[in-house]
Amino acid sequence: MLITETDEKSRLQWWKDAKFGLFIHWGLYALPAKGEWAMYAARTPVAEYEQLAKQFNPVKFSAKEWVNLAKTAGMKYLVITAKHHDGFAMFHSKVEKFNIVDATPFQRDPIKELAEECQKQGIKLCFYYSHVIDWHHPHSIHEYYNNTWDYQLEDKAFYRYWNQIAKPQVKELLTRYGPIGLMWFDTAGGLSKKDSREMVDLVHNLQPDCLVNSRVSHWPGMGDYQSKGDNEIPMYAEDTKPWETPMTLNKSWGYHIQDQDWKKPESIIYKLVNIVSKGGNLLLNVGPTAEGLIPEQSTKRLLEIGDWINRNSEAIYETDPSPFPYEFDWGAITVKSGKVYLHLYHKYCPQNELVLCGLKCKVAKAYFLANGIPLETNQSYQAEGDHHELRILLPSELPDQYVSVMALELDEQLEVDESF
Ligand code: H79
């Protein structure tokens, strides 16, 4: 399939505008409740791990509630683990009986239910699919369980898996559940360039608009956008490929009963703002329980973030990154058609006055985005040193709890002195 540069841009546009998505790590591993690597960590034999399916009955699962939570949190897309490294399909697969409909008492297809709800509520449905690691199939079990990563993907066993499971399941996912926003592949170590390319082409041939993340391959340059490392936020805005940070709310992806190391809501809001100001997306994870519930600690945080986004949405969605090529200690900047948004981190911002250097264009109006309260500003220019300075008087009361956004309406085309 030939994709032109214009197609490329518009294919990505919804996703670049979206900024914020929900990652869901859900599978049989919710039962041992020690994260999604539980099978590997305990070196559980396949036959024994299969037994978990008989106990998996997440009757409290509600696609409506999950999608509604994503929506309320201000998320625009949802990426769910259709299959993680344990090889268990969370959808009704015809090519592998080790799936939620055929192997559990639950017998429902949560992916189908989510697809319907996402359609209804206007959220883009996307899939995580572990295309290389699959502990349920022999090509990788031997090597992983022996603690060596240099497994032989040229093996016949790998191609049996690749041709009979991986590709057919990706095809199932892209032909049975309506339009899919993106395919999120992971851990492609050892996969050849040719096989990576084959997977990308398979996705694009089935659904030309479906995006593919860069982890489809360890070869650079593959996929439509770049997945950063887990929880990684780059130091500077990048003008290469569009990018996304996958992030956990505690230290685990899959449900982990002992992990209570939760990030503070304000820290997640800072991270979101920081990422968006550098042109990236945040894919924030929850790990539902074996009953089908999103942990309360996660829900609480998502609702709090959603509340903040709701008050400041104009400064997040469809914005462009900061025009300044460096970070500020008081917060971060986003911009959009004639407006500059200053996201003030209360914890780090100055007491009385904010000084922004290097903004060359005239500010017509400044106000708090959340309540419209006007702000007093003073712009000056010193020819000596070509020095532009904007001073904003900060009132003692800020409209939000952790991050307050100030909107600057510009009189002129946005122009900054990058060298400052
Ligand atoms: O799906 C999540 C992880 O399961 C997956 N990527 C995110 C999005 C991932 N696959 N591999 N890795 C992450 C890196 C593997 C790290 C490991 Fe380990 C170090 C595997 C074995 C040692 C983590 C720590 C798991 C067991 C101990």
Side-chain angles (χ1 to χ4, degrees):
M1 161 126 350
L2 191 71
I3 295 169
T4 67
E5 222 167 273
T6 352
D7 291 343
E8 191 74 26
K9 219 177 145 205
S10 54
R11 284 173 71 240
L12 277 159
Q13 201 56 50
W14 72 266
W15 182 79
K16 286 181 73 178
D17 290 344
K19 309 298 182 193
F20 195 26
L22 179 65
F23 212 175
I24 304 178
H25 274 71
W26 196 39
L28 290 185
Y29 40 81
L31 278 165
K34 291 195 174 110
E36 75 288 354
W37 278 70
M39 180 184 180
Y40 171 87
R43 303 292 193 274
T44 314
V46 175
E48 195 183 311
Y49 192 81
E50 280 178 344
Q51 299 304 310
L52 287 176
K54 296 186 179 154
Q55 300 167 45
F56 194 68
N57 196 12
V59 290
K60 295 192 178 155
F61 165 71
S62 159
K64 190 174 171 180
E65 279 172 27
W66 286 16
V67 175
N68 186 250
L69 176 64
K71 218 180 146 101
T72 314
M75 291 148 157
K76 304 289 187 190
Y77 58 109
L78 179 161
V79 185
I80 180 152
T81 45
K83 186 196 85 175
H84 204 272
H85 304 341
D86 64 352
F88 184 72
M90 291 296 282
F91 61 101
H92 192 195
S93 175
K94 296 279 158 63
V95 298
E96 171 53 84
K97 285 237 162 308
F98 192 45
N99 73 70
I100 190 161
V101 177
D102 294 324
T104 76
F106 189 52
Q107 296 183 336
R108 279 159 54 189
D109 182 344
I111 300 297
K112 185 160 173 276
E113 294 176 26
L114 282 167
E116 286 164 8
E117 270 308 321
C118 282
Q119 280 283 357
K120 259 192 217 158
Q121 300 194 42
I123 294 266
K124 289 256 192 192
L125 178 67
C126 313
F127 296 132
Y128 175 109
Y129 185 85
S130 177
H131 60 321
V132 178
I133 300 182
D134 187 319
W135 301 319
H136 194 250
H137 291 94
H139 80 273
S140 58
I141 285 173
H142 170 78
E143 292 80 2
Y144 272 87
Y145 279 19
N146 282 300
N147 249 343
T148 136
W149 288 78
D150 58 344
Y151 48 103
Q152 300 292 309
L153 290 189
E154 301 307 320
D155 275 0
K156 278 203 185 84
F158 173 71
Y159 281 109
R160 222 172 19 245
Y161 157 76
W162 183 249
N163 291 317
Q164 292 173 16
I165 305 288
K167 287 194 285 173
Q169 284 194 331
V170 166
K171 188 169 175 193
E172 290 181 320
L173 289 169
L174 289 167
T175 50
R176 298 230 199 107
Y177 300 98
I180 301 307
L182 62 91
M183 287 297 291
W184 216 98
F185 294 106
D186 201 9
T187 37
L191 194 67
S192 73
K193 202 167 186 170
K194 177 179 145 288
D195 293 335
S196 317
R197 168 61 52 205
E198 190 183 13
M199 187 54 89
V200 173
D201 289 345
L202 175 65
V203 173
H204 288 158
N205 283 329
L206 292 167
Q207 291 204 23
D209 288 337
C210 181
L211 307 177
V212 173
N213 74 332
S214 57
R215 290 197 196 177
V216 68
S217 180
H218 270 203
W219 298 88
M222 289 225 192
D224 294 300
Y225 74 87
Q226 218 206 331
S227 286
K228 291 284 152 198
D230 297 348
N231 293 299
E232 180 200 350
I233 303 180
M235 198 80 100
Y236 301 103
E238 314 207 341
D239 49 10
T240 50
K241 274 197 172 177
W243 59 274
E244 172 187 70
T245 295
M247 189 173 288
T248 51
L249 276 168
N250 49 4
K251 293 247 159 67
S252 315
W253 300 93
Y255 180 60
H256 197 309
I257 197 160
Q258 279 141 6
D259 181 358
Q260 297 299 326
D261 196 356
W262 299 97
K263 293 185 174 82
K264 288 191 194 130
E266 72 242 50
S267 129
I268 306 159
I269 296 172
Y270 292 165
K271 287 172 197 292
L272 171 69
V273 167
N274 186 351
I275 287 168
V276 174
S277 80
K278 293 170 182 168
N281 280 19
L282 171 61
L283 183 61
L284 191 59
N285 182 74
V286 297
T289 67
E291 286 188 296
L293 295 175
I294 295 175
E296 209 181 302
Q297 294 285 7
S298 305
T299 306
K300 228 170 78 180
R301 281 162 178 77
L302 295 191
L303 292 177
E304 197 158 339
I305 299 161
D307 188 48
W308 180 85
I309 295 189
N310 200 20
R311 293 158 61 77
N312 297 287
S313 60
E314 190 190 310
I316 295 290
Y317 305 120
E318 296 162 36
T319 54
D320 288 322
S322 166
F324 295 91
Y326 39 80
E327 291 186 331
F328 300 98
D329 49 8
W330 50 261
I333 291 182
T334 56
V335 302
K336 169 156 69 187
S337 54
K339 280 191 192 172
V340 174
Y341 304 100
L342 310 183
H343 301 249
L344 269 188
Y345 301 167
H346 296 192
K347 208 158 130 188
Y348 307 116
C349 85
Q351 284 279 313
N352 307 312
E353 191 180 52
L354 181 80
V355 184
L356 178 68
C357 297
L359 188 68
K360 286 172 134 183
C361 46
K362 252 194 134 26
V363 172
K365 217 166 123 187
Y367 53 91
F368 277 124
L369 194 58
N371 59 13
I373 290 181
L375 291 155
E376 207 174 302
T377 63
N378 191 322
Q379 268 184 304
S380 62
Y381 173 69
Q382 279 136 36
E384 194 187 334
D386 190 22
H387 185 76
H388 295 263
E389 202 175 78
L390 170 69
R391 290 176 174 271
I392 306 172
L393 223 57
L394 295 177
S396 54
E397 253 184 58
L398 300 171
D400 272 288
Q401 211 181 340
Y402 311 119
V403 179
S404 294
V405 182
M406 303 187 293
L408 309 178
E409 282 186 17
L410 304 179
D411 243 356
E412 304 165 321
Q413 183 92 26
L414 174 67
E415 204 187 337
V416 302
D417 178 1
E418 290 181 18
S419 67
F420 194 82

